[in-house]
Amino acid sequence: MKKINWAIMGVGDISHKFAKSFKGIEDAQLYAAASRDKSKADEFAKVYGITKAYGSYEEMLKDDQVDLVYVATPNSLHKKHTLACIENGKGVLCEKAFSVNKVEALVMASKAWEKGTFLMEAMWTRFLPAVKAIEKYIEEGHLGDIRFIKVNMGYNRPQDPSSRRYNNELGGGALLDIGVYAMSFITMVKKVSPIEIKSFGNLTATNVDGDCLSIMKYEDGSMAEMLLSITTHLRRYIEIIGTKGTLLLPSVNDPRSAALITKNNQNEVIEKDYDQPFYTGFEYQIMEANQCFMNGKIESDRMPLKETIKIISILDKIREDIGIVFPNDKI
């Protein structure tokens, strides 16, 4: 069986988790790592037994052995680096947030469609066994009509201006750092975009959203609420309220279970942990991208580009409401 050769573009924190996820995948291997700093690429490659280490992204993209690239650079560079990959004939798994805004997402998707090259947002939670089971449970009607969705997600991140999370030029802030998880889950359940959005936010000294509260209304009268923070620790959960009961998920960005609460306080638990020998959860998105690439598909049925564009469009509206403008918005 031919193994698909993967390369990592950018060797920051998230790339370490990604690199650890190849051990149990038979038809994929991590072949190359690229960084603007060759010493960092060398060190990363040594830790994970990677064949090639490059000190420039351009050099890595010229390697004919590279099939798929995981783009793990800052949000503001996703468009530039994804387009470079596509132009060089490489399939792309682009870390969330996929882009800084809808305009960028459309350009990236259009280029992939034009070139017939695989492209997918790395929304890894979409592919987890528990998330698939929860979505199926809802679609089977066990909750009745969905009337409300509440998502809480917050971390007390150090307010370091040099951190990507607090850097306006890099597309920082709660919305693009963690809100994309919440909005992706809401959109997965609702399937459609809201018809009305009201949002409020607190801006940090570096002009990113430290805190954000959004309330969304849908055409069927149902509503969703999303509370996000990178300045304050919040209990992280999802609450899906239907006419037949409420489904509680104890995690937004790593859901492995859900509990059903009915009006009679009858409990039912959905629990789907990772398959062995997987242990990061990233394995599922890698397998999806790998399989799509092997089958000649240019996007995933489960995380299609139109879904990614829909999500970033909603985040654009929320960002507009709270007054966040990125340099990329002016290009």
Side-chain angles (χ1 to χ4, degrees):
M1 180 187 295
K2 179 189 181 299
K3 290 193 175 186
I4 300 301
N5 284 334
W6 282 76
I8 291 181
M9 182 181 283
V11 293
D13 291 344
I14 195 70
S15 294
H16 287 273
K17 183 174 181 180
F18 191 83
K20 293 174 183 176
S21 306
F22 280 80
K23 292 182 179 179
I25 303 176
E26 295 182 353
D27 53 5
Q29 63 183 358
L30 194 49
Y31 164 80
S35 171
R36 293 296 186 195
D37 184 333
K38 181 64 161 58
S39 64
K40 289 183 178 179
D42 287 336
E43 182 181 354
F44 190 91
K46 182 178 180 180
V47 170
Y48 297 106
I50 297 170
T51 304
K52 295 283 188 176
Y54 290 104
S56 80
Y57 303 144
E58 295 78 11
E59 187 182 3
M60 180 269 286
L61 291 176
K62 291 176 184 177
D63 187 336
D64 292 337
Q65 297 302 308
V66 173
D67 298 311
L68 276 164
V69 178
Y70 171 57
V71 174
T73 52
N75 295 334
S76 60
L77 297 174
H78 285 180
K79 174 192 165 188
K80 175 184 177 181
H81 291 153
T82 294
L83 293 180
C85 291
I86 294 172
E87 289 290 354
N88 283 274
K90 313 301 185 187
V92 181
L93 178 64
C94 182
E95 183 53 48
K96 57 85 194 160
F98 183 75
S99 62
V100 164
N101 54 42
K102 177 185 177 181
V103 172
E104 289 191 340
L106 284 169
V107 170
M108 295 157 69
S110 295
K111 183 59 70 173
W113 291 328
E114 175 193 336
K115 296 289 188 179
T117 304
F118 176 77
L119 175 61
M120 186 180 90
E121 179 180 16
M123 184 50 64
W124 66 286
T125 52
R126 279 282 178 113
F127 303 95
L128 298 181
V131 172
K132 289 183 175 180
I134 289 163
E135 184 182 22
K136 184 173 183 288
Y137 187 85
I138 293 169
E139 290 176 347
E140 288 174 347
H142 297 289
L143 292 185
D145 295 330
I146 305 301
R147 303 307 300 157
F148 304 98
I149 304 174
K150 297 176 67 177
V151 184
N152 267 37
M153 193 174 184
Y155 300 86
N156 186 3
R157 304 290 195 191
Q159 297 195 35
D160 178 4
S162 66
S163 163
R164 64 167 180 81
R165 293 187 177 90
Y166 285 92
N167 191 322
N168 180 277
E169 293 185 357
L170 297 182
L175 269 174
L176 293 192
D177 185 40
I178 56 177
V180 65
Y181 281 120
M183 199 66 245
S184 181
F185 195 95
I186 292 170
T187 304
M188 182 189 75
V189 174
K190 289 303 301 174
K191 311 299 183 189
V192 296
S193 298
I195 59 171
E196 189 175 359
I197 303 174
K198 299 289 186 183
S199 303
F200 309 89
N202 293 319
L203 275 58
T204 67
T206 55
N207 201 33
V208 299
D209 54 309
D211 314 304
C212 178
L213 171 64
S214 294
I215 300 172
M216 292 155 273
K217 186 174 182 179
Y218 293 82
E219 191 171 6
D220 63 0
S222 63
M223 289 178 275
E225 175 187 288
M226 184 170 68
L227 179 60
L228 311 167
S229 182
I230 54 172
T231 70
T232 306
H233 177 79
L234 302 176
R235 184 168 68 89
R236 298 182 286 278
Y237 68 92
I238 300 174
E239 193 172 6
I240 307 168
I241 304 168
T243 53
K244 293 181 180 179
T246 296
L247 203 59
L248 295 173
L249 285 70
S251 174
V252 180
N253 59 329
D254 191 8
R256 305 191 193 193
S257 65
L260 177 69
I261 310 298
T262 67
K263 62 183 178 181
N264 299 319
N265 288 323
Q266 295 174 331
N267 296 330
E268 184 176 343
V269 176
I270 300 170
E271 190 166 6
K272 293 276 186 179
D273 208 338
Y274 301 160
D275 298 325
Q276 294 297 328
F278 301 158
Y279 64 97
T280 70
F282 275 24
E283 294 91 348
Y284 298 97
Q285 67 175 350
I286 294 171
M287 289 192 301
E288 173 73 7
N290 214 62
Q291 195 63 47
C292 287
F293 185 85
M294 291 174 68
N295 292 337
K297 297 178 68 172
I298 62 173
E299 56 186 301
S300 162
D301 293 332
R302 181 149 183 83
M303 195 67 209
L305 294 171
K306 288 184 178 179
E307 178 83 343
T308 289
I309 293 166
K310 181 193 302 180
I311 293 164
I312 197 66
S313 299
I314 298 169
L315 296 181
D316 275 358
K317 176 60 172 67
I318 295 172
R319 193 158 54 84
E320 180 183 349
D321 280 357
I322 60 180
I324 301 293
V325 178
F326 294 129
N328 290 40
D329 296 327
K330 302 171 185 177
I331 299 174

